[in-house]
Amino acid sequence: MSLLDRHVGFVQALREAGIPVSVAEGLDAAQALRVIRLSDRESLRAAYAATLVKKPAYRPGFDVLFDLWFPASTSGMHVPRADRPLNLETAPVEELRDHLARLLAGGTDQELREFAQAMVGRFGRQPTTSPGRQNWFSYSVMRALSPETLMARILQNVLQGQERGGLAEKNVRRRVYDSTRRFEDAVATDVRRRIAEDSGIERIARSAVRPPLDQIDFLRITKADLARLRREVHPLARRLATRLTIKQRKGRRGRLDFRRTMRASLQSGGVPLTTHFRPPRPHRPELVILCDTSDSVSSFAHFTLLLTYALREQFSKVRAFGFVDTVDEITRFFVPGADVVEAMTRLANEADMVRFGRTNYGHSLERFADKYGEAVGPRTSLLILGDARSNYQPPALDVLGSLVARARHAYWLNPEPKAQWDTGDSIAGEYGTVVPMHECRNVAQLTAFIETLA
């Protein structure tokens, strides 16, 4: 494969992984290749990163794809070194573990990578029934060497009689932990490289990289991703609030100040050459959130609630209501300064949102209109969050229509892809005739919508 083919394939793989790369940025990267030493792989990585990576969140996926398209080595090109203290292909496992312990305590990144490649070649191969094909796994390498169990051995060798529990031990533990993570990454990288050689780079690239955090679908999010999103709530809210404030101030003027204009016209013989305006009255709408908190969309509802409450300064009042097959106000769980995890736990344990455990939009809308209908008024922006799947129950379109008619604005955010609307028990199309429904599958789409809302 030529360098041009690798460049084009690499840029396309980045785009397919959710990392935005424009045509101009791709050309910038190609220009950068003309002024660096192509034999220096890290310079090549830095040139591509400087021209193609826009956010720190994109860097992990970029590094994985770079290692696939521009591997550090190729199978069959490994040459044993004479200066090694042992033969990595034939040495007993216990000797390999001793060697790994020395590398974790003070080895270089290059030594860790070379050792990881040799260990994948020795332990990572698994038999397969397909001729000419091999299976490669990281777990078999880590199981054979168990680097996480080497800490006691390393501490004994490094400290050599020094006081235990002090600063020296803490530094050693931190260094070994970081080296262990680098070794695990090196093993995973070499496994992906070998699989790519067998199955094709494009195939493994599509499965090796998860989308950036802001593009992961709410309905496919993991617990680890949700924890990371919770940590992103307040920084994201601050950025959004700044952008919204600038957007509201830019180009806005209040009503004409007739008195100041006429007073200024006396300087020009009564001709109002300069007009003066009153300061604009900022419109801070009230926000009412009505969200489906059932298990199928709980991650979406929880993160959206957290973000809108972090943005509550943009609204004069925020009230939130959750429902499954009945409705309850959950505003009390999101008071300023409340712990995120505690708020989520209290919501699940204390809120009265479930009768029989089956989502029922129609009954929930009726209960909301009867019990909390006064929350929606002419200054209210009504925001409904849910997938519109009501287990084939009546939709109560007339009740929703009356709520929308009373509100200043009404929006529906649906975390499902549009292609799945109106399939199975979804009645998104019917609700969409009453209130505008928007696809909102990830943080990027949610961020864009909140800018429009506020």
Side-chain angles (χ1 to χ4, degrees), residues 15-33:
R15 292 170 178 156
E16 292 178 355
I19 302 175
V21 178
S22 67
V23 175
E25 290 165 343
L27 294 175
D28 289 342
Q31 290 290 336
L33 301 186

Side-chain angles (χ1 to χ4, degrees), residues 59-358:
R59 186 59 191 257
F62 165 86
D63 285 331
V64 170
L65 292 174
F66 180 87
D67 289 333
L68 285 173
W69 286 92
F70 302 94
S73 63
T74 304
S75 297
M77 299 296 292
H78 176 70
V79 179
R81 286 170 41 184
D83 60 341
R84 284 203 176 104
L86 73 165
N87 189 324
L88 301 182
E89 286 73 23
T90 60
V93 173
E94 196 56 34
E95 293 185 15
L96 294 175
R97 281 170 50 80
D98 287 336
H99 183 64
L100 176 58
R102 289 191 291 270
L103 292 180
L104 295 179
T108 65
D109 288 345
Q110 179 64 25
E111 290 173 333
L112 278 174
R113 283 196 297 268
E114 290 180 357
F115 184 73
Q117 292 169 11
M119 294 302 97
V120 171
R122 179 168 175 178
F123 299 111
R125 184 187 296 109
Q126 299 292 328
T128 178
T129 57
S130 302
R133 297 285 296 276
Q134 301 180 85
N135 289 334
W136 299 93
F137 297 97
S138 298
Y139 81 89
S140 57
V141 179
M142 307 310 294
R143 183 179 59 186
L145 299 176
S146 301
E148 68 279 358
T149 65
L150 296 174
M151 182 65 74
R153 184 182 310 185
I154 294 172
L155 290 175
Q156 182 179 359
N157 293 336
V158 174
L159 296 179
Q160 294 182 349
Q162 298 184 49
E163 181 182 359
R164 299 296 296 270
L167 181 60
E169 180 177 342
K170 292 181 180 178
N171 289 335
V172 173
R173 286 183 178 273
R174 185 182 302 110
R175 183 167 68 249
V176 172
Y177 177 81
D178 294 340
S179 297
T180 303
R181 300 287 81 75
R182 292 200 302 273
F183 176 71
E184 292 175 351
D185 292 341
V187 170
T189 297
D190 197 61
V191 166
R192 285 193 295 266
R193 175 185 65 81
R194 293 172 186 269
I195 295 175
E197 289 180 353
D198 292 341
S199 304
I201 299 176
E202 294 84 355
R203 180 179 178 181
I204 187 62
R206 283 192 290 268
S207 60
V209 181
R210 295 201 71 200
L213 186 62
D214 62 349
Q215 297 182 26
I216 298 177
D217 283 6
F218 287 116
L219 301 185
R220 294 181 175 86
I221 207 164
T222 64
K223 289 184 178 179
D225 292 328
L226 185 57
R228 293 166 60 199
L229 284 177
R230 287 169 176 168
R231 291 193 295 268
E232 290 290 322
V233 165
H234 291 288
L236 177 60
R238 284 196 297 270
R239 292 196 300 270
L240 276 175
T242 301
R243 291 162 64 179
L244 294 173
T245 301
I246 294 173
K247 184 181 294 186
Q248 291 172 357
R249 291 176 179 173
K250 185 177 179 181
R252 289 192 59 187
R253 296 189 300 182
R255 300 175 61 184
L256 177 68
D257 190 331
F258 184 77
R259 180 177 295 179
R260 290 182 62 201
T261 300
M262 294 305 299
R263 185 180 296 116
S265 69
L266 297 178
Q267 301 177 9
S268 55
V271 179
L273 298 179
T274 303
T275 54
H276 293 269
F277 296 87
R278 300 179 185 274
R281 290 184 176 180
H283 172 64
R284 299 181 66 196
E286 298 176 0
L287 180 63
V288 170
I289 308 169
L290 183 59
C291 62
D292 181 354
T293 58
S294 59
D295 291 340
S296 60
V297 292
S298 60
S299 298
F300 168 61
H302 289 179
F303 182 74
T304 304
L305 283 170
L306 292 173
L307 183 57
T308 50
Y309 264 84
L311 278 169
R312 58 184 172 272
E313 291 82 3
Q314 298 296 318
F315 306 95
S316 61
K317 182 188 297 185
V318 178
R319 295 181 68 181
F321 302 86
F323 69 89
V324 177
D325 54 2
T326 189
V327 67
D328 188 18
E329 182 166 6
I330 56 178
T331 309
R332 62 189 183 277
F333 301 116
F334 297 92
V335 295
D339 178 74
V340 172
V341 178
E342 181 182 350
M344 294 295 102
T345 303
R346 290 187 58 204
L347 186 151
N349 295 334
E350 300 177 22
D352 182 19
M353 300 177 295
V354 181
R355 294 182 306 162
F356 308 112
R358 295 173 61 85

